[in-house]
Amino acid sequence: MTDLKQKAASMVTQSELRDFLTLADLGTAQLHSLLDEAADLKRKQKQGIAHEYARGKSLAMIFEKSSTRTRISFELGMTQLGGHAIFLNSKDLQLGRGESLSDTARVLSEYADTIMIRTFAHATVEELAAYASIPVINGLTDLHHPAQTLADLLTIKEKKGKLKGIKLGWVGDGSSNVAHSLLEGAALTGMNMTLAAPEGYEPDQAVFSRAQALADESGGKLSLTRSPEEAAAGADVLVTDVWTSMGQEAEKAERMDAFRPYQVNRELCRLADRDYIFLHCLPAHRGEEVTGEIIDGPHSVVFEEAGNRLHAQKALLKMLLCD
Ligand code: CP
Ligand code: NVA
């Protein structure tokens, strides 16, 4: 039996979440119950109510790229759930000296209860998941950042009271990992998302088609445009991401030129709903994708959004490890 088959054979039910590689790995019902759980875990944490559902469980976290929020929120989240997380810089692992990913996956499966990885190619997280006999979590690849979307949806729900029918405008890099996962999140929850991106920086076609199919089922609507004004018009939520993601540093100059008309600034935000909220996954570059007066202004909820990484991921860990 191959490792992949062994993993499939260990599934208890078809609907049980085995890995979290893209947001669409969660069905609509699972996503909504995860968000409810996240809200409940947040309440418990704020009220000092014990919630050690992962007592004795462990999380191995492999990082091939830098991180502030993802590392800290997963590590502290696991501690608050009564479990233990270890940070593994890929350069310090034998992986960094050429040990295969498949062997690393099998070894970690002997020690830990789940693995989180932040890496470059999305195929790497898929390969890790294929060889691991324990759940694998995508902590960001070049293609997807699903853990970020969980926090974004939690934040929108808290601030707007609902997700279905919310008008979300994305302005900037439509091909970013954060944009891709948010498209899937909007699609699963029936939001109306308009994404404005310059030529050459549209979403990956396969990701967009998959999200479109999910939106058709949920009654959501996804649209692509070149016009930042169209994406911002009447938006309940405005979102952007950095113009140069990790690993794209060599393209920085051409990206700055392409994205300059796509800055989220006061003029653009005037077109949004008067009660709009501004989201950004962080880290941000003030003066590039967003001006300081917007990200530090009254409509910005970026620090609550960052805080919600903790609660959303605790709900994810609980679902993967305990449910
Ligand atoms: N938003 C996010 O993933 O932040 P880090 O890169 O700091 O983990
Ligand atoms: N798109 C950004 C997100 C960082 C959290 C990057 O990949 O660098």
Side-chain angles (χ1 to χ4, degrees):
M1 208 189 257
T2 65
D3 293 288
L4 193 56
K5 283 190 185 142
Q6 271 171 6
K7 192 167 192 178
S10 72
M11 287 171 68
V12 178
T13 66
Q14 280 294 317
S15 61
E16 189 182 337
L17 185 65
R18 280 297 302 169
D19 298 304
F20 183 63
L21 309 190
T22 70
L23 198 83
D25 290 351
L26 291 168
T28 303
Q30 248 176 341
L31 175 57
H32 283 295
S33 77
L34 190 154
L35 293 173
D36 289 346
E37 181 70 62
D40 195 49
L41 288 169
K42 182 171 182 173
R43 178 186 62 79
K44 285 183 171 132
Q45 200 218 336
K46 303 275 178 212
Q47 294 176 358
I49 299 168
H51 51 282
E52 297 190 340
Y53 301 108
R55 190 183 282 275
K57 305 274 186 180
S58 57
L59 165 69
M61 308 190 295
I62 305 173
F63 281 87
E64 295 195 304
K65 289 175 173 171
S66 304
S67 173
T68 296
R69 284 143 287 268
T70 305
R71 175 187 174 176
I72 298 169
S73 54
F74 268 108
E75 190 164 333
L76 291 182
M78 202 57 188
T79 303
Q80 291 168 13
L81 287 171
H84 184 75
I86 45 172
F87 170 77
L88 305 164
N89 184 324
S90 62
K91 289 196 196 83
D92 301 331
L93 293 171
Q94 296 288 7
L95 188 64
R97 293 181 56 250
E99 184 169 14
S100 71
L101 192 64
S102 53
D103 282 0
T104 305
R106 285 182 270 206
V107 170
L108 289 178
S109 301
E110 296 291 322
Y111 300 140
D113 297 295
T114 183
I115 305 171
M116 193 228 76
I117 182 167
R118 167 167 287 199
T119 187
F120 292 85
H122 191 71
T124 302
V125 76
E126 290 175 335
E127 187 183 346
L128 189 73
Y131 284 97
S133 59
I134 57 177
V136 171
I137 298 169
N138 178 357
L140 180 148
T141 62
D142 291 343
L143 203 61
H144 290 278
H145 194 3
Q148 180 67 49
T149 305
L150 294 179
D152 294 355
L153 296 178
L154 180 61
T155 309
I156 296 167
K157 206 172 159 195
E158 282 176 350
K159 297 291 171 189
K160 296 287 164 195
K162 61 174 188 173
L163 293 170
K164 197 168 178 64
I166 286 291
K167 191 171 182 328
L168 188 152
W170 175 281
V171 178
D173 187 357
S175 63
S176 97
N177 38 24
V178 175
H180 285 157
S181 291
L182 197 54
L183 278 166
E184 293 191 345
L188 280 170
T189 57
M191 285 199 269
N192 176 354
M193 175 167 173
T194 304
L195 183 151
E199 192 176 354
Y201 298 98
E202 300 89 354
D204 175 87
Q205 273 195 350
V207 172
F208 189 75
S209 308
R210 188 178 181 210
Q212 190 77 70
L214 293 169
D216 289 345
E217 279 173 34
S218 72
K221 192 164 174 287
L222 306 178
S223 337
L224 301 182
T225 176
R226 295 258 174 268
S227 161
E229 291 77 17
E230 197 181 320
D236 301 302
V237 183
L238 274 177
V239 195
T240 191
D241 187 9
V242 291
W243 290 343
T244 305
S245 285
M246 290 181 278
Q248 298 170 337
E249 290 76 9
E251 303 167 20
K252 184 166 176 158
E254 62 191 274
R255 285 177 161 268
M256 290 286 280
D257 285 346
F259 287 119
R260 202 155 283 125
Y262 290 79
Q263 184 185 66
V264 178
N265 53 33
R266 194 196 318 190
E267 291 68 43
L268 192 72
C269 292
R270 276 206 191 102
L271 302 173
D273 182 79
R274 61 192 292 273
D275 294 322
Y276 83 93
I277 55 170
F278 173 74
L279 296 182
H280 190 308
C281 63
L282 305 177
H285 294 86
R286 288 168 175 76
E288 292 183 19
E289 74 274 7
V290 60
T291 56
E293 68 176 341
I294 295 301
I295 195 167
D296 298 316
H299 294 270
S300 173
V301 294
V302 298
F303 298 110
E304 284 162 273
E305 177 189 6
N308 278 337
R309 294 290 303 275
L310 177 70
H311 312 294
Q313 288 159 197
K314 280 163 74 176
L316 174 68
L317 289 164
K318 180 171 182 280
M319 188 176 268
L320 285 168
L321 289 168
C322 316
D323 289 353

